[in-house]
Amino acid sequence: MAKKLANYFFRTPEEVGLDNYLVLVVSLLIFVVGFLGTLINILLDFDLKITLITMVPTILVIPFYLYIRLKHNFLYSKYLLLIFSILVINGQWIVNFGSYGPILFLFIIAESYILLVFEKAESIFFSIVIFINVSILFYLEYRYPGIFGYYENERLRIIDLYTGIMIYLLLSVFLLKFAIKYYVNQKDRAQNADKLKSNFLANMSHEIRTPMNGILGFASLIKDSDLPKDVQNRYIEIIEKSGVRLLNIINDIIDISKIESGIAVAEISESNINEQMEYIYTFFKPEVENKGIKLILNNYLPVNESIIETDQEKIFAILTNLIKNAVKYSEKGFIEFGCSKKGRFLEFYVKDTGVGIPQEKHETIFERFVQVDSDGKMTKQGSGLGLAITKAYVELLGGKIWLESNPGKGSVFYFTIPHKMVDNEGINVKNDKNKEMNESKYPKLNILIVEDDEPSAILLSTVLNQYAKKIEVVNSGIQAVETCMKDSTIDLVLMDIQLPLMNGYEATRKIREFNSDVIIIGQTAFGFSDDRIDAIKAGCNNYISKPVIKDQLLAMIFSYFKIN
């Protein structure tokens, strides 16, 4: 009950930050202390001005507290609260008998507040202000004895000092206990995070080395020319699967890095949800059925409501992560996924008959580096980042994610995204254009490959050979610019970004100074969303991240070249 009341009045330090939390706490405590001080002054029958100097600030602090609690406007609140407190303390000092009364202890409380809430430079500045303030007040009393008056008798002074000190002592104990508890909690969280990261790094070492073992091991076996064809094909399939697994791990690490650094953004475009769901169904069907599990797609979206504005890549990533988890943790039964419209949102679900998740793990399952099965152990392969990435992407798109699950009874993951319709006329025009492109034939091209990594250059040359009239390879940005200046017949430039002497961005800018027609596709192994923006700004027509997938590259190239 006490915890619920505390959360209602102050929120939590994790939600608003320690300094903002203390602003709320201290402002409410000023009210409590002021109320008690006013009550004591009335009971001790002090002058009206002494009672008023305690009562007025007590009343004024109420709207201040309500404003920052309801509006969550913390920007200047901690400064205003400190200035307000110093003014009140000075007023109390003047009317409440100066150093003879209990007000000196309020300066100590104010200093504690400064040390807890403000950063180093601000803390030093305000501490000096308090020091100067107290020194001036004591100097005035030293220079002009009795300037702030005296108590009527010594008993009254003792009672006032006792009650004041008791209140301030309790206040100090509360603030210090809270600060200690908060910092201990933060220390525990940091140690837990370090432990999770250590487990993550150990797991990553295993997850990266395992597919690398498959790639390098079976690549060396393929060198044996006496291997039967079917055995070679099986080894090649293992290498491909190991490569995909390794790429998935790298993608997870890149995605969580984008999320952690705040550069993950939603790239909104026209997206056909029905087509995307059908593609995912087709993509996973062989893998699911190979495990003896049935894959079911339930899609309740009418055609006219299925094309919306959203980030289709993130929708694909969310559904893929959830279905991959369902496949990983299911050994029999079925996996079902679908989508339906609920008000202004689309609600997706992925249901499985796997091991299930204990109730106490329903929150932690979405944290970074966490993997749990039915008994809470880390037993399945994977980075432990998939659900953390999924949750971040769902929230980035303006939705929410939750689950229903019990051990041994499977799990159902739900998530929502806003349903923003696209104009039908625009859809039809775009579909007609795509149809025209798909039915077209493609010419032989003069291609320049700018790549300083020899295996990457060989791969690109091999992939593009059948579509090329001529392929030329250079390994620096300077050579790329010189080649384009000498040969105006080049149709396509595949421009690596990380190049020696002159990088791909600079080379592209220089090429655009004399050739605005050549198609330039940037390519990099970095894989961050900013790279695409930088490539387009530099003058690239498009951008693709490594490892380059053959079908994606060809589709991108074909979109620019058609026979007249």
Side-chain angles (χ1 to χ4, degrees):
M1 183 66 180
K3 189 175 181 180
K4 286 183 178 180
L5 284 172
N7 288 342
Y8 176 78
F9 282 110
F10 311 128
R11 309 280 297 280
T12 65
E14 289 74 23
E15 285 182 282
V16 298
L18 176 62
D19 51 352
N20 297 328
Y21 181 83
L22 282 175
V23 168
L24 285 168
V25 171
V26 171
S27 60
L28 196 60
L29 285 175
I30 288 173
F31 169 77
V32 173
V33 171
F35 175 78
L36 292 175
T38 303
L39 190 62
I40 290 167
N41 289 340
I42 292 171
L43 292 174
L44 294 177
D45 198 24
F46 282 133
D47 288 345
L48 181 60
K49 64 179 181 180
I50 296 176
T51 304
L52 287 176
I53 201 67
T54 308
M55 183 188 297
V56 171
T58 303
I59 296 170
L60 290 177
V61 82
I62 296 173
F64 177 82
Y65 163 80
L66 291 174
Y67 175 74
I68 57 176
R69 171 65 182 84
L70 299 176
K71 296 291 185 181
H72 304 155
N73 190 337
F74 297 105
L75 187 58
Y76 302 111
S77 300
K78 60 182 181 181
Y79 301 101
L80 290 174
L81 183 62
L82 179 61
I83 294 167
F84 175 78
S85 299
I86 291 174
L87 291 174
V88 170
I89 293 170
N90 277 273
Q92 288 277 0
W93 184 282
I94 291 168
V95 303
N96 210 21
F97 313 118
S99 61
Y100 288 96
I103 307 304
L104 177 62
F105 298 100
L106 280 177
F107 279 109
I108 298 173
I109 302 297
E111 180 61 25
S112 302
Y113 172 77
I114 289 168
L115 294 174
L116 285 171
V117 171
F118 293 98
E119 298 296 330
K120 187 175 180 181
E122 293 175 334
S123 176
I124 292 171
F125 171 77
F126 286 120
S127 294
I128 292 172
V129 169
I130 292 290
F131 175 80
I132 293 172
N133 190 168
V134 173
S135 298
I136 291 171
L137 291 173
F138 269 98
Y139 174 77
L140 288 173
E141 284 200 51
Y142 174 79
R143 188 73 176 80
Y144 307 103
I147 188 175
F148 301 126
Y150 297 100
Y151 284 88
E152 291 182 8
N153 56 69
E154 192 64 18
R155 283 186 176 180
L156 199 60
R157 176 175 174 271
I158 295 296
I159 293 170
D160 194 26
L161 277 175
Y162 173 76
T163 54
I165 289 172
M166 286 298 104
I167 292 171
Y168 305 148
L169 184 61
L170 290 172
L171 188 59
S172 298
V173 169
F174 173 83
L175 287 175
L176 290 173
K177 284 288 289 183
F178 167 78
I180 291 169
K181 183 179 178 182
Y182 176 80
Y183 285 117
V184 167
N185 184 45
Q186 290 298 98
K187 179 184 174 184
D188 291 342
R189 287 168 66 92
Q191 288 175 340
N192 189 43
D194 284 341
K195 183 180 178 182
L196 285 172
K197 286 180 181 179
S198 296
N199 291 339
F200 167 72
L201 290 173
N203 194 37
M204 282 301 94
S205 176
H206 171 268
E207 288 299 317
I208 291 171
R209 287 172 184 271
T210 300
M212 283 301 298
N213 182 58
I215 293 168
L216 297 176
F218 284 99
S220 66
L221 291 177
I222 288 175
K223 291 179 182 177
D224 185 354
S225 58
D226 296 331
L227 285 174
K229 185 70 175 176
D230 62 328
V231 174
Q232 280 191 348
N233 289 337
R234 185 156 57 87
Y235 289 174
I236 291 169
E237 185 180 346
I238 291 171
I239 291 171
E240 286 179 339
K241 286 182 177 179
S242 297
V244 169
R245 180 176 167 187
L246 183 60
L247 181 59
N248 287 337
I249 293 165
I250 293 169
N251 285 338
D252 279 352
I253 295 171
I254 291 173
D255 287 342
I256 203 69
S257 298
K258 292 178 185 177
I259 292 164
E260 289 286 315
S261 59
I263 64 173
V265 293
E267 297 180 4
I268 305 301
S269 63
E270 177 186 306
S271 305
N272 189 316
I273 297 298
N274 284 352
E275 286 183 4
Q276 202 162 18
M277 300 278 280
E278 287 165 8
Y279 173 78
I280 291 171
Y281 174 79
T282 305
F283 180 83
F284 278 103
K285 193 170 188 289
E287 180 183 356
V288 173
E289 291 183 347
N290 281 342
K291 288 190 72 173
I293 302 170
K294 186 177 181 181
L295 183 63
I296 303 168
L297 169 60
N298 280 327
N299 199 0
Y300 305 109
L301 281 183
V303 175
N304 64 335
E305 292 185 349
S306 65
I307 302 178
I308 66 170
E309 291 182 350
T310 189
D311 188 326
Q312 58 183 355
E313 292 301 322
K314 288 184 173 56
I315 294 293
F316 180 79
I318 293 164
L319 285 169
T320 299
N321 278 333
L322 293 176
I323 293 173
K324 279 198 294 189
N325 270 0
V327 175
K328 185 193 299 185
Y329 290 100
S330 298
E331 299 299 332
K332 59 182 180 179
F334 65 88
I335 295 170
E336 179 183 324
F337 70 106
C339 173
S340 60
K341 188 170 180 290
K342 298 287 181 72
R344 296 181 295 106
F345 289 85
L346 295 182
E347 183 178 285
F348 296 80
Y349 74 92
V350 177
K351 183 178 182 180
D352 65 62
T353 52
V355 295
I357 301 167
Q359 187 71 33
E360 65 272 14
K361 301 290 184 182
H362 284 195
E363 293 297 327
T364 57
I365 194 72
F366 292 107
E367 293 179 5
R368 297 181 299 278
F369 317 127
V370 173
Q371 292 174 299
V372 294
D373 61 10
S374 59
D375 60 2
K377 296 179 180 177
M378 297 178 65
T379 56
K380 300 289 184 177
Q381 68 179 36
S383 64
L385 296 173
L387 286 176
I389 293 167
T390 297
K391 183 174 185 288
Y393 281 172
V394 169
E395 292 174 350
L396 189 64
L397 295 178
K400 62 178 182 177
I401 186 169
W402 69 98
L403 75 151
E404 297 172 358
S405 182
N406 285 298
K409 296 183 179 179
S411 306
V412 188
F413 283 83
Y414 299 91
F415 72 92
T416 60
I417 61 168
H419 184 256
K420 298 178 182 177
M421 293 288 291
V422 175
D423 180 62
N424 288 331
E425 186 176 345
I427 295 167
N428 294 333
V429 171
K430 183 166 183 178
N431 288 345
D432 290 342
K433 182 180 177 183
N434 288 338
K435 184 178 179 182
E436 180 189 343
M437 274 189 349
N438 291 335
E439 292 174 353
S440 299
K441 295 181 180 179
Y442 304 98
K444 295 286 187 178
L445 305 172
N446 291 325
I447 300 173
L448 174 64
I449 296 173
V450 189
E451 177 60 74
D452 65 331
D453 179 60
E454 186 178 358
S456 297
I458 293 171
L459 175 63
L460 290 172
S461 298
T462 304
V463 168
L464 297 174
N465 185 56
Q466 70 184 94
Y467 306 101
K469 185 189 300 179
K470 179 182 71 173
I471 294 179
E472 189 168 352
V473 179
V474 297
N475 58 18
S476 75
I478 293 174
Q479 290 177 323
V481 176
E482 291 173 350
T483 303
C484 287
M485 289 184 77
K486 292 175 184 176
D487 188 354
S488 60
T489 65
I490 293 174
D491 301 300
L492 171 67
V493 178
L494 292 177
M495 180 71 72
D496 187 31
I497 300 301
Q498 193 73 5
L499 293 168
L501 303 178
M502 180 188 292
N503 67 37
Y505 296 138
E506 185 62 28
T508 299
R509 279 190 283 268
K510 289 190 176 295
I511 291 170
R512 287 301 183 210
E513 290 176 4
F514 58 85
N515 189 335
S516 60
D517 297 325
V518 64
I519 300 300
I520 304 176
I521 296 176
Q523 47 164 339
T524 180
F526 289 133
F528 287 97
S529 57
D530 282 354
D531 295 329
R532 175 181 175 81
I533 296 168
D534 292 340
I536 301 301
K537 283 182 179 177
C540 292
N541 298 85
N542 216 323
Y543 161 92
I544 191 167
S545 60
K546 295 179 181 178
V548 174
I549 308 300
K550 175 184 174 182
D551 292 343
Q552 291 179 357
L553 177 62
L554 293 179
M556 188 178 290
I557 292 171
F558 293 167
S559 69
Y560 292 104
F561 298 99
K562 293 183 290 182
I563 287 177
N564 292 328

